[in-house]
Amino acid sequence: MNRQNALLAYDPQSIASLLGTLIIGRRIELHPQVGSTNDLAWQAGRHGEPEGLVVLAEEQVAGRGRLGRRWIAPAGCCILCSVLLRPRFSADHAFYLTMAASLAIYRACKELDEGTGAGDGKPAAAVTIKWPNDLLVNGRKVAGVLCESEFSGKEWAFSVVGFGINVNLPAEQLGDLRSTATSLSIEFGRPIDRARLLARVLAELESLYLLLQSGQFGPVFAGWAAAVSTVGKSVQVLEPSGTLEGQAVRVEQDGALVLRLSDGTERRVLAGEVLHSTELASTVE
Ligand code: BT5
C-alpha cells in the first residue's frame, strides 16, 4: 500500500460512518485478499444473508470481468466491492441493476470533478459511461461493473452487484492496461479518499435500487442513457458470433444498444465488447 492510501482510512467503521443508507452497508466486510469479492457475496447470498451486505477487498487474485475476462487491480489502492441485493422486481429487468451501478459510480465520479473547483484553469474531466458498463474518464476506463444473479426458476433469488474502481492507482502500475485504462487520481490530479467515494457510490446505488424496487424504471434508464457516450459514435462490436460495425444510434429500455449498419438496417446488440471510433483510430495508428 502506498503512503497516500495508508493515510486515508479505509475500513468498515469509517465507511459505515459516512453512509446514510437503510439497506446497503448493513454489514460491511473488508478482506486483505480474496479470490473475487463477487464469490464471497454469492456464497453469503446462498446462505441466506439479508440484502445489503457489502464485501470489500484490498486485493483480488481472481477478479472477474464479464464474458470470462479478468479484472486486474494492484493491492491497496482501488475499490473492489460486491453488494448483495434481493430484488423483488421481474428478473426480465435484471439489466437495470447494471444500469443503476454504472450510474451510481458515474454520479459519484462527477461529484469528484465538481470538487476540483471551478476557475483553476483546468478543463473539467469528461466522465461518461461506455455501453454497457464501463466508466470512462477522459476516454479511458476507470471502473467496470459485473452483476451476477441467481434465479430459482423464474424467481430471482439474489443478485451480486460487483464493481471495481481504479482510485489511487499510479500510471506506472497500470501495466499492460495503460493504453485503455486510467485512475481517478491520475485524471483528477490528487489522491481520492476511497471511503468517501465508496460511501457516495453506495448511497447513489441505494437510491436507484429503491426506485427499481418500487417499479420506477424510467428515471434509472433516463439517467443511464443520458450518460452513455457510445450513442452517436461509430463503433465496432465484438460479439461471440463475429464483429459488427455501425453507428450507435440509441440505447433501449432493456439496455440494448442499437446500431445502424452501412446498409441502413438497424441491429440491436445486447452483449459484447464495444470499441468507440476514437479507440479504433488509436488502434490503426
Ligand atoms: C468489467 O468487465 O468491467 C467488470 C469488472 C468488475 C470488477 C469487479 S471488482 C469487484 C468484483 N469482483 C470481481 O471478481 N469482479 C467485480 P469487462 O467489461 O468484461 O471488462 C474487463 C476488461 O477490462 C478486461 O478484459 C481488461 O481489458 C480491462 N480491465 C481489467 N482490469 C482493469 C482495470 N483495473 N482498469 C481498467 N480496465 C481493466
Side-chain angles (χ1 to χ4, degrees):
M1 188 181 299
N2 68 30
R3 207 173 120 73
Q4 271 166 356
N5 286 305
L7 288 174
L8 294 169
Y10 187 63
D11 55 71
Q13 293 71 27
S14 316
I15 297 160
S17 72
L18 296 164
L19 276 174
T21 50
L22 294 169
I23 302 166
I24 296 180
R26 268 184 191 148
R27 203 159 80 70
I28 302 175
E29 293 177 359
L30 171 61
H31 301 268
Q33 191 192 65
V34 297
S36 156
T37 54
N38 267 31
D39 290 346
L40 294 192
W42 185 274
Q43 283 156 17
R46 280 249 165 113
H47 288 105
E49 171 91 25
E51 68 174 349
L53 169 71
V54 172
V55 180
L56 302 169
E58 288 290 15
E59 185 178 15
Q60 287 187 132
V61 293
R64 289 197 300 277
R66 296 171 307 139
L67 311 167
R69 291 188 287 247
R70 301 268 329 262
W71 186 258
I72 300 152
C77 57
C78 295
I79 291 175
L80 302 165
C81 176
S82 299
V83 181
L84 176 68
L85 295 173
R86 295 188 180 276
R88 289 187 306 269
F89 50 91
S90 160
D92 294 341
H93 289 117
F95 189 74
Y96 278 87
L97 283 180
T98 298
M99 287 185 199
S102 310
L103 183 55
I105 302 169
Y106 168 83
R107 287 181 173 167
C109 291
K110 285 290 271 186
E111 280 183 13
L112 288 177
D113 195 18
E114 283 148 20
T116 304
D120 63 0
K122 271 175 57 185
V127 182
T128 56
I129 296 173
K130 180 178 145 192
W131 183 90
N133 67 330
D134 288 353
L135 214 288
L136 306 185
V137 179
N138 297 329
R140 286 165 197 254
K141 182 162 173 173
V142 290
V145 175
L146 175 69
C147 293
E148 297 179 305
S149 298
E150 167 122 313
F151 302 98
S152 57
K154 282 214 95 179
E155 291 298 300
W156 205 330
F158 60 83
S159 189
V160 173
V161 176
F163 55 89
I165 310 178
N166 300 336
V167 186
N168 295 315
L169 182 50
E172 57 276 13
Q173 282 192 40
L174 283 167
D176 294 345
L177 295 169
R178 216 164 172 156
S179 58
T180 54
T182 188
S183 72
L184 295 171
S185 61
I186 296 170
E187 298 305 322
F188 293 109
R190 63 176 197 273
I192 306 292
D193 184 333
R194 282 189 297 166
R196 237 168 241 292
L197 175 67
L198 177 62
R200 285 304 305 137
V201 174
L202 296 178
E204 288 288 348
L205 179 60
E206 175 159 305
S207 60
L208 293 164
Y209 179 61
L210 292 175
L211 285 174
L212 299 179
Q213 289 287 63
S214 64
Q216 297 179 70
F217 298 97
V220 179
F221 173 74
W224 173 78
V228 172
S229 62
T230 308
V231 172
K233 291 200 164 67
S234 296
V235 296
Q236 264 189 6
V237 184
L238 315 177
E239 290 186 300
S241 55
T243 302
L244 276 177
E245 270 184 55
Q247 186 81 11
V249 287
R250 64 181 177 279
V251 284
E252 295 191 332
Q253 292 268 352
D254 59 357
L257 177 70
V258 180
L259 297 188
R260 183 169 303 120
L261 308 183
S262 55
D263 63 3
T265 58
E266 289 192 349
R267 183 82 77 82
R268 279 164 43 84
V269 184
L270 279 162
E273 179 68 11
V274 166
L275 296 178
H276 285 174
S277 44
T278 44
E279 294 164 317
L280 294 172
S282 58
T283 312
V284 171
E285 272 162 19

